[in-house]
């Protein structure tokens, strides 16, 4: 008997999960770090699980935990997280043409699963951005995040001082996995290179806004080079 062929929506979901696989691997140490930090900050086992399950934002979780650990107030935490995750507004506006015909539950689910990684997958446009494809990509990443966070929570109770493992390198690894596949034009490469050099230089001189300046400057450089070379959009 011949095996039953997967339906189109099943194939699209599997394609999304496969295309996200490199980013899933890169984020493993980041999830472990977030889970372990939650325990070290004083959250209980179930509180730590709930944070990873409901917040689902690596940078926001790490910043929140760091601020909690330093005794910061809730208003400070909310404002900080708002600005850290504000790029998701731009992500949503960029993806709106692709999701506007989805049903309300579908748009809400993609909105919850929308991360830097899912946006990178959608920007690569390896295939049509159907709901099944986006959900498969986003949900597979979500599952990896939950499992690795759980590993970090367990490890925090078994291994002393996880900071010695230097798991924070995964932040750089994840960003590289996102940026490199999208660097296909000279203007993009110039912007990335400018941001890298500027961030390193300003950080050496202890500029508190080094990353922001580097990021904004890189965007202006990319736009300027694109117009100068008259690159196609």
């Amino acid at each position: 008997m011949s095996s039953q062929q997967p339906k189109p929506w099943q194939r699209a979901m599997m394609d999304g999960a496969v295309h996200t696989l490199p980013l899933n691997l890169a984020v493993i140490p980041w999830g472990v770090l977030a889970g372990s930090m939650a325990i070290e900050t004083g959250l209980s086992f179930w509180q730590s699980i709930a944070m990873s399950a409901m917040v689902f934002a690596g940078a926001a979780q790490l910043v929140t935990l760091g601020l909690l650990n330093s005794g910061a107030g809730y208003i400070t935490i909310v404002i900080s997280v708002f600005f850290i995750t504000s790029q998701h507004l731009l992500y949503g506006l960029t993806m709106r043409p692709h999701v506007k015909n989805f049903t309300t539950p579908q748009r809400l689910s993609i909105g919850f699963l929308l991360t830097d990684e899912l946006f990178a997958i959608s920007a690569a446009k390896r295939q049509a951005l159907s709901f099944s494809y986006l959900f498969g990509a986003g949900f597979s990443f979500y599952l990896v995040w939950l499992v690795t966070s759980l590993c970090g929570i367990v490890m925090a109770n078994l291994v002393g001082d996880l900071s010695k493992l230097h798991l924070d390198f995964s932040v750089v690894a994840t960003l590289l996995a996102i940026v490199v596949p999208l660097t296909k034009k000279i203007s993009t490469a110039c912007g990335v290179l400018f941001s890298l050099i500027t961030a390193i230089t300003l950080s050496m001189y202890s500029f508190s806004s080094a990353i922001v300046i580097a990021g904004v400057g890189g965007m202006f450089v990319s736009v300027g080079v694109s117009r100068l070379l008259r690159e196609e959009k």
Side-chain angles (χ1 to χ4, degrees), residues 86-106:
S86 59
Q87 81 273 14
H88 285 76
L89 175 61
L90 298 177
Y91 293 167
L93 291 174
T94 303
M95 292 185 64
R96 186 177 185 276
H98 304 290
V99 303
K100 64 180 181 181
N101 293 325
F102 293 176
T103 64
T104 298
Q106 288 176 337

Side-chain angles (χ1 to χ4, degrees), residues 213-231:
I213 295 173
V216 174
M219 287 188 287
F220 278 108
V221 169
S222 292
V223 172
V225 172
S226 179
R227 291 184 176 180
L228 183 64
L229 299 179
R230 297 181 179 178
E231 292 180 337

Side-chain angles (χ1 to χ4, degrees), residues 49-100:
I49 294 266
M51 185 176 193
S52 289
M54 293 187 294
V55 178
F56 187 37
Q61 286 183 226
L62 295 178
V63 169
T64 299
L65 293 170
L67 290 173
L68 283 173
N69 209 24
S70 65
Y74 294 117
I75 295 179
T76 301
I77 294 174
V78 170
I79 294 175
S80 299
V81 170
F82 173 80
F83 283 106
I84 289 172
T85 58
S86 59
Q87 81 273 14
H88 285 76
L89 175 61
L90 298 177
Y91 293 167
L93 291 174
T94 303
M95 292 185 64
R96 186 177 185 276
H98 304 290
V99 303
K100 64 180 181 181

Side-chain angles (χ1 to χ4, degrees), residues 29-43 48 52 61-62 65 148-157 159 161-163 165 167:
W30 201 348
V32 173
L33 179 63
S36 62
M37 278 189 64
I39 295 296
E40 292 172 359
T41 302
L43 299 184
S48 302
S52 289
Q61 286 183 226
L62 295 178
L65 293 170
T148 54
S149 295
L150 177 60
C151 290
I153 293 169
V154 173
M155 289 174 65
N157 292 317
V159 182
D161 195 9
L162 283 176
S163 61
L165 299 179
L167 297 174

Side-chain angles (χ1 to χ4, degrees), residues 7 12 93 108 112 116 120 147 183-184 186 193 201 213 219:
K7 297 179 180 179
L93 291 174
L108 289 174
F112 173 75
D116 297 337
V147 171
T183 308
K184 299 178 180 179
I186 295 177
L193 186 61
T201 303
I213 295 173
M219 287 188 287

